């Protein structure tokens, strides 16, 4: 009799426990669903350029789940898009405090430091990524930008060279290397890299413009004229076109 | 008295002659000085551009000015940041893959940074709204484009 009573109590307790766990699990499930739905809406709005509304969705998601790294990361993208670079950097920092190995947040922090014109901070970020992932073409490329901004064109040229070696079809890496070499005064290397960029993209107006400047420095006016004329023809940027026109007027016939 | 008068007249004439010679000499010297000054100014003008000439930059100056602008360097434009992560966005692994990959994923090749963005820094401001081409306009600040 006693045994039966004990078993009944145990069964009742088990049933109550299961019911409570089920309810808690259901709550957790719906809570998670709500957060995911807000993040999904936020991403959709971000992609359509509605940053303010998108930000509202991520704020709501974070109010339900303050430690949600994804919502915080995506919020950082919105802030960047709105030009609030300091706030964006703060969000990416918080993401990294919560999850130190979340490398997309680290990378975006580096890009944001560049936007803030903090090349030294950006360099530290990209160096950290390169140390952990030596073949990261993006990290080498952005390290090149950081060094270029820091007034180290020779060092920048090396980083762009690594990026273009890792990914030979990377047109911007060839062009940026050419520009960095031009800054160092190495016109032969600059010309060669601008040529590589043009092999990959025959309508790359800025590469023609750079080649025109190289020809001018080499004292080759007819060659320069040819490059600036091509740049003016293929450029879709009206300012680049007008620059070419001014230069052509100065070079003369 | 007559002799004294004759002597006196001669002295007077000598004085007048001397005065005339002095004037002529001074005029000649002035002319020489003026000529020399004009010659010097003429040579200087040949070697130094006038103010109007100095305001027109040379071809290499225009090119270098443009190439020294921040916008001369290229970035990833709208592919600058790694995409959103989460439901409806990238998975965490895909986002990490974008950072650590040895090849560009989703990159776009070509002109990403427009000089028009920095029109006032270049010699000629844009005459019409920039970014009329196929490429999307760069937005934001700093190094230009960002991911929407």
């Amino acid at each position: 009799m006693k045994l039966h009573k004990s078993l009944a109590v145990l069964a009742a307790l088990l049933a109550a426990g299961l019911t409570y766990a089920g309810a808690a699990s259901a709550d957790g499930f719906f809570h998670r669903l709500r957060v995911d739905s807000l993040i999904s809406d936020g991403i959709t709005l971000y992609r359509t350029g509605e940053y303010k509304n998108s930000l509202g969705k991520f704020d709501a998601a974070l109010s339900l789940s303050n430690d949600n790294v994804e919502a915080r990361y995506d919020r950082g993208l919105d802030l960047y898009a709105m030009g609030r670079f300091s706030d964006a950097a703060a969000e990416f920092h918080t993401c990294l405090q919560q999850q130190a190995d979340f490398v997309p947040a680290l990378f975006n922090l580096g890009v944001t430091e560049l936007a803030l014109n903090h090349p030294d901070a950006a360099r530290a970020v990209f160096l950290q990524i390169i140390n952990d992932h030596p073949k990261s073409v993006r990290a080498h490329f952005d390290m090149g930008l950081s060094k270029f901004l820091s007034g180290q064109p020779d060092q920048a040229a090396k980083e762009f060279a690594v990026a273009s070696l890792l990914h030979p079809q990377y047109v911007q890496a060839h062009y940026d290397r050419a520009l960095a070499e031009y800054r160092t005064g190495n016109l032969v290397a600059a010309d060669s890299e601008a040529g590589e960029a043009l092999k990959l993209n025959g309508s790359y107006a800025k590469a023609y413009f750079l080649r025109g400047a190289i020809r001018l420095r080499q004292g080759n006016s007819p060659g320069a004229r040819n490059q600036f004329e091509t740049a003016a023809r293929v450029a879709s940027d009206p300012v680049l076109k007008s620059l070419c026109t001014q230069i052509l007027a100065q070079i003369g016939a | 008295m007559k002799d004294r008068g004759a002597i006196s007249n001669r002295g007077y004439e000598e004085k007048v002659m001397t005065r005339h010679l002095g004037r002529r000499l001074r005029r000649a010297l002035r002319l020489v000085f003026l000529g020399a000054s004009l010659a010097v100014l003429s040579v200087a003008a040949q070697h130094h551009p006038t103010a109007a000439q100095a305001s027109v930059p040379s071809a290499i100056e225009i090119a270098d000015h443009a190439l020294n602008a921040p916008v001369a360097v290229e970035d990833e434009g709208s592919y600058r940041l790694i995409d959103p992560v989460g439901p409806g966005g990238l998975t965490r692994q895909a986002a990490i893959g974008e950072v650590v990959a040895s090849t560009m994923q989703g990159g776009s090749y070509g002109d990403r940074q427009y000089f028009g963005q920095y029109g006032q820094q270049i010699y000629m401001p844009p005459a019409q709204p920039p970014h009329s081409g196929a490429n999307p306009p760069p937005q934001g600040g700093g190094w230009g484009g960002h991911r929407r």
Side-chain angles (χ1 to χ4, degrees):
Chain A
M1 194 65 184
K2 259 190 178 177
L3 184 68
H4 281 167
K5 253 189 184 173
S6 300
L7 278 173
V9 169
L10 194 66
L13 280 173
L14 195 64
L18 281 173
T19 307
Y20 178 78
S25 169
D27 275 357
F29 172 79
F30 286 113
H31 182 266
R32 178 73 207 178
L33 193 67
R34 178 76 184 131
V35 171
D36 282 355
S37 170
L38 286 166
I39 294 175
S40 177
D41 290 348
I43 290 175
T44 304
L45 289 165
Y46 171 81
R47 286 190 169 143
T48 54
E50 295 171 72
Y51 307 122
K52 204 175 169 186
N53 292 334
S54 172
L55 197 66
K57 297 289 180 187
F58 295 130
D59 284 344
L62 286 166
S63 71
L64 293 174
S65 174
N66 190 44
D67 59 349
N68 190 306
V69 175
E70 291 170 359
R72 196 165 293 286
Y73 168 91
D74 295 338
R75 189 175 191 275
L77 295 180
D78 269 329
L79 292 167
Y80 185 101
M82 293 164 83
R84 292 168 58 185
F85 301 123
S86 296
D87 294 333
E91 288 293 35
F92 295 134
H93 266 299
T94 307
C95 287
L96 292 166
Q97 281 165 1
Q98 291 174 340
Q99 279 182 24
D101 62 344
F102 192 34
V103 73
L106 185 61
F107 180 84
N108 286 354
L109 174 63
V111 173
T112 309
E113 294 290 7
L114 277 179
L116 285 163
N117 204 18
H118 298 158
D120 293 341
R123 229 171 29 189
V125 166
F126 296 124
L127 182 63
Q128 191 181 334
I129 298 174
I130 289 169
N131 284 339
D132 293 341
H133 309 282
K135 288 189 175 177
S136 165
V137 66
R138 276 180 178 269
H140 281 290
F141 182 83
D142 279 276
M143 179 64 113
L145 289 180
S146 310
K147 289 186 170 173
F148 193 86
L149 251 186
S150 305
Q152 298 175 292
D154 52 335
Q155 296 294 312
K158 286 178 187 168
E159 295 296 337
F160 292 132
V162 175
S164 58
L165 280 171
L166 286 166
H167 188 69
Q169 288 78 37
Y170 198 174
V171 182
Q172 285 100 321
H174 288 292
Y175 167 82
D176 283 347
R177 185 180 171 195
L179 184 64
E181 297 286 10
Y182 180 80
R183 289 272 178 90
T184 64
N186 188 348
L187 298 182
V188 174
D191 194 34
S192 168
E193 283 304 309
E196 289 299 317
L198 288 170
K199 272 187 213 165
L200 293 163
N201 181 352
S203 59
Y204 199 167
K206 283 168 80 171
Y208 286 113
F209 187 89
L210 176 56
R211 262 198 154 173
I214 294 166
R215 297 282 182 278
L216 278 178
R217 288 239 168 255
Q218 289 170 332
N220 178 358
S221 289
R225 164 169 279 280
N226 183 33
Q227 297 297 320
F228 286 119
E229 280 172 348
T230 311
R233 195 172 60 246
V234 299
S236 55
D237 176 359
V239 173
L240 186 59
K241 269 185 195 290
S242 73
L243 283 166
C244 292
T245 307
Q246 290 175 75
I247 290 169
L248 287 166
Q250 290 298 314
I251 295 172
Chain B
M1 277 297 283
K2 203 178 176 181
D3 279 344
R4 277 176 63 187
I7 290 166
S8 170
N9 274 343
R10 211 181 297 142
Y12 175 74
E13 281 169 10
E14 276 173 9
K15 272 186 188 172
V16 169
M17 285 284 285
T18 309
R19 223 177 274 162
H20 274 271
L21 275 172
R23 274 187 202 152
R24 279 182 192 162
L25 192 64
R26 276 200 294 274
R27 267 187 208 156
L29 280 173
R30 256 186 241 147
L31 280 171
V32 167
F33 181 74
L34 189 67
S37 301
L38 283 171
V40 167
L41 282 173
S42 168
V43 170
Q46 281 172 5
H47 285 87
H48 296 285
T50 63
Q53 284 171 325
S55 68
V56 179
S58 69
I60 193 70
E61 280 173 332
I62 298 170
D64 273 356
H65 189 81
L67 291 172
N68 279 320
V71 76
V73 77
E74 289 282 34
D75 61 24
E76 287 305 310
S78 58
Y79 293 88
R80 196 124 170 65
L81 296 175
I82 305 300
D83 259 339
V85 176
L90 290 177
T91 63
R92 293 172 66 85
Q93 279 312 307
I96 292 168
E98 272 204 21
V99 178
V100 306
S102 61
T103 57
M104 280 301 293
Q105 298 178 2
S108 179
Y109 307 131
D111 299 63
R112 307 304 315 172
Q113 291 263 62
Y114 280 74
F115 278 96
Q117 188 184 357
Y118 282 76
Q120 299 307 316
Q121 288 181 18
I122 316 291
Y123 282 103
M124 187 179 282
Q128 49 187 301
H131 320 309
S132 54
N135 289 322
Q139 300 162 40
W143 281 80
H146 60 72
R147 210 174 181 79
R148 280 189 289 213

